[in-house]
Amino acid sequence: MTIKTLIKFHLFDLIFTPYNGTAKSSKSILVECLQRINDERTQNGQAIVLDRHEDRKDELPRNLFVASAAYSLTEKIYKCRIALIRAGKIPTLVNKSNYSIAEFNKLDSHDIAEVTNFYIDVNGKVPVVCCEFNSNGPRINDIEYYFRQISSHKMLRISKSCKASIHMKMPINDVLNSITDVLKFEIKAKPSRLNYLTSVVQGSFIGNMNLLANTIEPRSIKIDAFFRDRGKNSKEVSKKNLKALTFVKKVLSAIQKDNKIAEEIDDFMLEFEREDGTEDIFNLLKGKIEIEAECSLKTSGNLDTKELFEKVSLQFNDYLEEYNG
């Protein structure tokens, strides 16, 4: 019996800002990046390895490299794979005959890597990326970082910024432009991530979460905040909670500017009231547009990447037709 597993993909635009005085589009910048990656592989037999944690003294390296970037003439999509070289603890092996455990220490010149598949469409106004969700491997922010470095003054000198704009079922701009009151929000994060959130989402609320976490040292901290009594509608409540509204707008604006915040927050859910009096829900994690596909596993436990691309590319193309209008 063939074993199958469900794979989820998220979508995002990859937007580059060219250096002043150049008229390069995000598409042309990305294509140059992919060409540079492929040239390094074909001409020098190497990959371009970048450490996302290069400037962080107290963290393990996060070495990334694009392992392949091939253009599919049939689908008119770039098929790519990005790898994260595993640092720190190495996994152990299990003998399936008796379930004994053995150390996996004979790697010789090899390292263990986690691989994420992603596909890029460059036929629209900006490149659209369909990226596998891999909790152990490279994520959207890693891809954003990698192409930012390739295109920057450090290498190609053709772009001064690179931004991944995630496709959401409810765009953050829509919430920011229409929210008039906060009914409820939930926020959950690990204490180790609260220092970063405090520095980015400036305000006393996250700072107080951080203080509480340092006081009692939980594995994670979650706060549910309610701002309206159950059973009361907007006509019965005239006073808006301006403090909560200001805080929520700060969080949403910060998320919009910095995708890393989505990695630092375990959960963020918002119930809010719009200008027309209707109520709505924004969910940071569950609100991303997704493509799902069942894919066969090879005997080694790895995905059948050919099958995966065939299934996902069909849905990706259907989505792009609607998205590009």
Side-chain angles (χ1 to χ4, degrees), residues 98 125 175 183-184 193 197 203:
N98 59 8
K125 295 179 181 178
V175 183
L183 309 180
K184 171 188 175 183
R193 296 171 176 173
L197 292 176

Side-chain angles (χ1 to χ4, degrees), residues 87-134:
K89 186 177 180 181
I90 296 176
T92 55
L93 295 176
V94 176
N95 185 329
K96 290 191 291 186
S97 64
N98 59 8
Y99 292 95
S100 60
I101 294 176
E103 290 186 0
F104 190 21
N105 56 6
K106 296 182 179 180
L107 296 174
D108 298 323
S109 62
H110 295 78
D111 278 323
I112 295 173
E114 300 283 355
V115 178
T116 296
N117 297 284
F118 66 102
Y119 314 125
I120 311 173
D121 174 83
V122 292
N123 297 296
K125 295 179 181 178
V126 297
V128 181
V129 183
C130 181
C131 176
E132 175 191 357
F133 174 72
N134 182 351

Side-chain angles (χ1 to χ4, degrees), residues 2-5 7 81 117 119 294-311:
T2 303
I3 300 175
K4 292 182 178 289
T5 186
I7 306 297
R81 304 182 81 199
N117 297 284
Y119 314 125
E294 267 198 342
C295 181
S296 301
L297 291 176
K298 297 178 180 178
T299 53
S300 59
N302 295 317
L303 294 171
D304 185 332
T305 54
K306 181 179 178 181
E307 177 189 324
L308 184 66
F309 175 70
E310 289 173 352
K311 289 186 174 181

Side-chain angles (χ1 to χ4, degrees), residues 238-304:
S238 59
K239 187 178 179 181
K240 307 294 184 182
N241 192 314
L242 297 181
K243 289 184 178 180
L245 191 59
T246 299
F247 168 73
V248 163
K249 285 185 174 181
K250 277 187 177 181
V251 173
L252 292 173
S253 297
I255 291 169
Q256 194 174 40
K257 292 176 183 176
D258 185 358
N259 284 321
K260 186 185 173 187
I261 294 175
E263 290 184 353
E264 304 299 329
I265 296 176
D266 290 334
D267 198 10
F268 182 73
M269 188 279 291
L270 167 69
E271 292 184 15
F272 65 100
E273 185 175 280
R274 293 181 180 272
E275 289 176 328
D276 60 3
T278 59
E279 297 178 3
D280 219 328
I281 297 175
F282 172 84
N283 193 308
L284 177 62
L285 301 185
K286 297 179 181 179
K288 296 175 183 176
I289 291 176
E290 291 184 342
I291 288 176
E292 295 183 347
E294 267 198 342
C295 181
S296 301
L297 291 176
K298 297 178 180 178
T299 53
S300 59
N302 295 317
L303 294 171
D304 185 332

Side-chain angles (χ1 to χ4, degrees), residues 108-163:
D108 298 323
S109 62
H110 295 78
D111 278 323
I112 295 173
E114 300 283 355
V115 178
T116 296
N117 297 284
F118 66 102
Y119 314 125
I120 311 173
D121 174 83
V122 292
N123 297 296
K125 295 179 181 178
V126 297
V128 181
V129 183
C130 181
C131 176
E132 175 191 357
F133 174 72
N134 182 351
S135 59
N136 297 315
R139 301 188 183 188
I140 292 174
N141 278 348
D142 293 313
I143 295 173
E144 178 190 71
Y145 170 84
Y146 192 86
F147 283 103
R148 181 188 301 123
Q149 298 303 307
I150 297 289
S151 64
S152 74
H153 68 281
K154 296 181 179 180
M155 199 165 296
L156 289 178
R157 302 176 184 272
I158 54 177
S159 173
K160 58 184 180 181
S161 72
C162 174
K163 168 71 175 175

